[in-house]
Amino acid sequence: MVREISVIAIDGPAGAGKSTVSREVAKRLGFMYLDTGAMYRALALAVKKAGIDPQNDKSLASLCKSLNIRFDAAQASPRIFLNGEDVSEHIRTPEIDMLASKISAIAVVRQEMTRLQRAVAEKAGRAVAEGRDMGTVVFPDAKCKFFLTATLEERARRRYEERRQRGEKVDPAQVARELKKRDEQDEKRALAPLKPAEDAVIIDTTQLTIDEVVDKICGMAKPRFAQTQK
Ligand code: DC
């Protein structure tokens, strides 16, 4: 028998506020936080470490199958482990940004990641799933679907701030260019492109604070899960 799972799907482009918002919504509602972008990033890191040609479907498929990805949300900032190693910081570089986006267009990668993501959510029972295709492909039956957006200028400003606070030397114009390129790559790919599900609620976060977005999402999601919450 297939176990019924409760999923809140949150999709949108980079810098729209998905991660912070999803983490907070998960915390407030007692759901697991499933960061699917981090999974594509971990795979990209594995591809880089193994020196695999991203065009080689066979090597990619066997790498995907041997991958051991684990989340630990118990700490203040959620951690992701790749084959036992904490790679949470290693996956947040401009090189991995682009490589994750590139390999995420490949069919064998999407198949394996989709399977893994469903398995993780099923095990948790209740999850806030964040990514690009949560509402459209991975969890089309999710009870609540949201699509976060913001202007390119605002998203670039947030990414720039994030990286500056991590102590990186960054050029704002370069950050905006990279973000735009990645959006285009993610939107134009043939498989599971970045787009809102037909039944998703679209939230423009340009002028909103994190708390305002979280309140909005929790306010809409809570009544829908009232019967399933124990
Ligand atoms: O959300 P993020 O920036 O960490 O995601 C990194 C890349 O992974 C993104 O550019 C595209 C890909 N991705 C995807 O194709 N599908 C998802 N559900 C999540 C991420």
Side-chain angles (χ1 to χ4, degrees):
M1 196 185 93
V2 181
R3 183 174 167 208
E4 198 184 315
I5 51 173
S6 301
V7 173
I8 299 175
I10 303 186
D11 292 303
K18 294 187 308 289
S19 298
T20 319
V21 165
S22 303
R23 210 158 51 222
E24 193 53 36
V25 170
K27 210 196 267 170
R28 276 204 210 168
L29 300 181
F31 280 38
M32 184 219 171
Y33 165 49
L34 177 57
D35 179 356
T36 64
M39 295 171 76
Y40 282 97
R41 286 169 180 276
L43 174 63
L45 185 66
V47 166
K48 186 187 156 202
K49 280 188 173 174
I52 286 173
D53 173 5
Q55 312 296 335
N56 187 332
D57 269 19
K58 258 196 170 161
S59 318
L60 263 183
S62 73
L63 181 71
C64 281
K65 295 223 155 61
S66 69
L67 219 58
N68 178 354
I69 293 178
R70 185 170 62 79
F71 289 101
D72 181 358
Q75 309 184 41
S77 68
R79 315 302 296 175
I80 180 163
F81 294 82
L82 172 65
N83 302 327
E85 184 195 351
D86 184 346
V87 293
S88 315
E89 265 82 46
H90 301 118
I91 60 169
R92 307 277 165 201
T93 67
E95 186 191 2
I96 297 295
D97 283 354
M98 292 316 286
L99 188 56
S101 171
K102 188 170 175 189
I103 60 166
S104 70
I106 300 167
V108 287
V109 168
R110 295 217 77 84
Q111 264 166 27
E112 190 56 23
M113 284 290 151
T114 298
R115 190 190 65 73
L116 258 175
Q117 289 156 11
R118 287 179 180 151
V120 174
E122 194 168 320
K123 191 164 172 223
R126 302 189 300 195
V128 176
E130 176 220 321
R132 303 291 187 288
D133 61 339
M134 297 298 100
T136 51
V137 175
V138 182
F139 302 110
D141 299 330
K143 274 200 193 148
C144 280
K145 299 181 185 178
F146 298 92
F147 191 88
L148 306 192
T149 61
T151 59
L152 177 65
E153 291 71 29
E154 176 60 15
R155 292 188 293 113
R157 190 195 65 75
R158 292 173 186 169
R159 252 317 120 85
Y160 168 77
E161 270 308 311
E162 238 173 68
R163 291 182 48 194
R164 199 181 59 80
Q165 280 174 18
R166 282 206 298 256
E168 293 173 34
K169 251 188 126 194
V170 272
D171 167 19
Q174 171 82 1
V175 173
R177 271 197 303 276
E178 285 171 2
L179 209 62
K180 188 158 181 268
K181 183 163 178 223
R182 193 146 70 94
D183 284 354
E184 282 171 6
Q185 241 169 237
D186 294 344
E187 280 164 4
K188 288 190 182 144
R189 69 182 179 220
L191 295 169
L194 164 66
K195 66 168 183 195
E198 274 177 21
D199 48 350
V201 174
I202 297 178
I203 304 177
D204 184 339
T205 70
T206 309
Q207 310 277 356
L208 301 177
T209 64
I210 297 291
D211 273 351
E212 285 170 330
V213 183
V214 172
D215 285 348
K216 216 175 199 167
I217 292 180
C218 287
M220 294 175 94
K222 257 188 185 162
R224 300 206 193 174
F225 292 106
Q227 283 101 12
T228 55
Q229 290 218 347
K230 298 194 181 89

